[in-house]
Amino acid sequence: MSTIKEIAERTKLSAGTVSIVLNGRGDEMRIAKKTQQRILEAAQGVGYLPNVSARRLRQSNARNIPSIAIFWPSDLSSDLLGRFFMGAQNPILEQEFEFEMTIQPYARKHMHRIKEICDQGNFHGAILTGISAEEQRYLEENPIQVPAVFFNRESSSYSCAHVDTYEIGRKSAELFAARGHKKVGTIVPDHLVNTENNLRFRGFVEACATYGLELKDRHIQTAPMTMEGGNAAAKKIIEGGGDLPTAMFFPMGIMAVAALPEFHRAGIIVPDHMEILTYGDHDAEKYSVPSLTTVKLPVEEMAAACIRLVMSRIHDPSGKPKSLEFETPIIFRESCGGFGYEM
C-alpha cells in the first residue's frame, strides 16, 4: 500500500503537509484548497488507503464504542443475513447499547484465520454464524481471545443462541404423519450433506421411520440454500419418475417459493396433490401463492440475543457463557394443514 512519503515525493510537499490533508485537517490548518486537491489526486492515483482506525483514535471527540464482527460463511443464505441484520440492529434502535457492527465473510476451513483476526485485537467481540461441527470443535479447543458468541449452535464453552434443530426435523415428520401422508420428500442443504450439523435432516429421517413414512432416495435432493437451488431440486423430484411424495419439507422458505412454479407447470396442485412445509418464515412465504406453512426460525430475535450476549461478555469478561434456546412454532398457512394459527 502506498505511503505518505511516496505521495509527498510525487507532490514535492512535506510529509507533514500531506499527512494533515489526508487526515482531513487541511481546512483547520489553513492549507490552500489547490494544495489539498493536489494531494488528494496524488493519493488516489497511487491507491493510498488511510488508516481509518488510527485517524479516529487521533480525533479528540472520538467515542470509544465496541466493535463487533459478524462472521458469515460464504455458502450460508444471504436471505438469512438480511434477517440477522434486522434483528441485530434492534439493540441500537432501542438504545440499549452503542456499538459498531462489521460483516466479515469467510470461506469454509479457514477458521484459523478468523481466530487470528480476533486475537490480533481488530474487534472487541465476535458472533460466528453457520459454523460446522468441525469448525466448532476447533474453536472450542483453540478459544478466541475476545468475547465470542455462536449463532444457532449449542456450546458449553461459548455463549450461544440456538434452537433444537433435531426437534425441528422430528416434528415436521410428525406433522406429515398426523396429516395422513404416506410418501414424503425433503431437500437437504448441500453444505450440510454428511456433516454432524445436519441434525434437522437426521431428526426428519428418524421420525419418518418411527411414523412409518416412506422416504425414498429419489425424493431426497441436495441443493444450495437459494431460490435457484429450490427450483432445481423441485425439477429433480418431478423428473425422478414414479409416484411423487404427497408432502415435501424444504429447509428454507425461499427454496419452496422457487419450487412452486415447477410444481404448477407439472400440474401438481398445492396443497391438494402435495402439501409443503418450510423452515424459516421469511416474508416471501407469507405472500406466495399458496402461502407456505413453516417451522419458524426466529432469526431476528436470536440475532438480537447474540448482540446482548456478546455485549455482556465485553462489559464483564469474567462472566460465564450463557446458552439461550428459542422456540420454533409451526405457523400454519395454505400449503399445509389450513392457515391462520400456530402450533
Side-chain angles (χ1 to χ4, degrees):
M1 187 170 65
S2 300
T3 65
I4 288 175
K5 183 179 178 181
E6 291 176 75
I7 298 168
E9 291 173 353
R10 273 178 171 253
T11 57
K12 301 189 184 328
L13 295 166
S14 71
T17 299
V18 171
S19 177
I20 288 170
V21 172
L22 293 179
N23 281 292
R25 299 178 60 219
D27 290 340
E28 177 188 343
M29 302 304 292
R30 298 183 179 180
I31 295 173
K33 290 290 186 183
K34 286 185 178 181
T35 302
Q36 292 189 48
Q37 185 63 27
R38 185 167 136 211
I39 292 171
L40 294 174
E41 287 176 356
Q44 186 177 19
V46 297
Y48 172 79
L49 293 175
N51 187 329
V52 175
S53 298
R55 176 188 293 180
R56 292 175 58 191
L57 287 174
R58 287 193 294 269
Q59 292 174 349
S60 60
N61 62 346
R63 295 176 301 164
N64 185 22
I65 61 175
S67 176
I68 299 172
I70 314 296
F71 289 95
W72 197 271
S74 57
D75 56 8
L76 193 60
S77 170
S78 58
D79 175 76
L80 284 178
L81 178 58
R83 293 183 61 192
F84 185 96
F85 178 78
M86 291 296 293
Q89 70 178 345
N90 284 337
I92 295 179
L93 298 178
E94 294 170 8
Q95 299 182 340
E96 291 182 56
F97 307 109
E98 279 191 288
F99 60 90
E100 292 182 343
M101 183 169 59
T102 302
I103 305 297
Q104 290 279 318
Y106 73 90
R108 297 292 178 186
K109 301 182 180 179
H110 286 74
M111 201 53 53
H112 65 284
R113 179 58 185 147
I114 289 178
K115 177 171 167 55
E116 288 175 6
I117 291 171
C118 292
D119 291 355
Q120 287 168 1
N122 293 324
F123 302 101
H124 296 95
I127 298 172
L128 293 105
T129 68
I131 59 174
S132 68
E134 181 182 0
E135 291 166 338
Q136 181 170 335
R137 273 195 299 272
Y138 173 83
L139 293 174
E140 289 174 342
E141 293 169 2
N142 304 274
I144 292 175
Q145 299 305 306
V146 297
V149 173
F150 290 168
F151 173 79
N152 208 16
R153 294 291 182 266
E154 190 172 3
S155 173
S156 59
S157 304
Y158 289 83
S159 290
C160 53
H162 64 96
V163 299
D164 188 336
T165 308
Y166 182 92
E167 174 63 10
I168 290 166
R170 189 207 65 77
K171 71 181 181 182
S172 297
E174 180 183 51
L175 174 64
F176 286 163
R179 298 284 298 159
H181 295 286
K182 300 298 181 184
K183 300 177 187 291
V184 299
T186 189
I187 312 297
V188 185
D190 57 359
H191 71 276
L192 288 180
V193 175
N194 300 322
T195 71
E196 297 171 51
N197 284 131
N198 208 355
L199 292 174
R200 186 169 62 243
F201 177 63
R202 195 176 88 192
F204 185 74
V205 171
E206 292 179 358
C208 283
T210 299
Y211 295 115
L213 299 176
E214 183 180 334
L215 180 61
K216 293 182 177 179
D217 288 345
R218 68 173 183 268
H219 295 155
I220 302 173
Q221 295 294 329
T222 61
M225 291 179 68
T226 61
M227 296 191 80
E228 183 178 0
N231 185 272
K235 284 183 181 178
K236 290 180 180 178
I237 292 286
I238 294 166
E239 295 168 358
D243 293 338
L244 291 174
T246 60
M248 284 287 303
F249 178 43
F250 282 79
M252 178 162 283
I254 59 170
M255 298 176 75
V257 170
L260 289 174
E262 293 301 324
F263 292 141
H264 175 74
R265 280 189 279 270
I268 301 167
I269 300 173
V270 179
D272 296 355
H273 301 156
M274 178 188 290
E275 291 196 320
I276 290 178
L277 175 66
T278 74
Y279 174 55
D281 192 31
H282 192 269
D283 283 346
E285 295 157 69
K286 302 175 187 176
Y287 302 112
S288 62
V289 179
S291 56
L292 298 172
T293 294
T294 187
V295 181
K296 181 179 177 66
L297 175 65
V299 176
E300 294 84 354
E301 293 90 339
M302 292 168 67
C306 284
I307 294 294
R308 294 182 179 109
L309 286 169
V310 76
M311 287 295 291
S312 174
R313 295 302 304 276
I314 289 171
H315 291 148
D316 181 14
S318 63
K320 294 182 179 180
K322 295 181 180 179
S323 177
L324 302 178
E325 183 172 322
F326 287 77
E327 296 296 322
T328 54
I330 296 178
I331 300 176
F332 288 95
R333 299 191 181 107
E334 296 166 327
S335 70
C336 179
F339 54 95
Y341 58 97
E342 297 183 7
M343 182 176 82

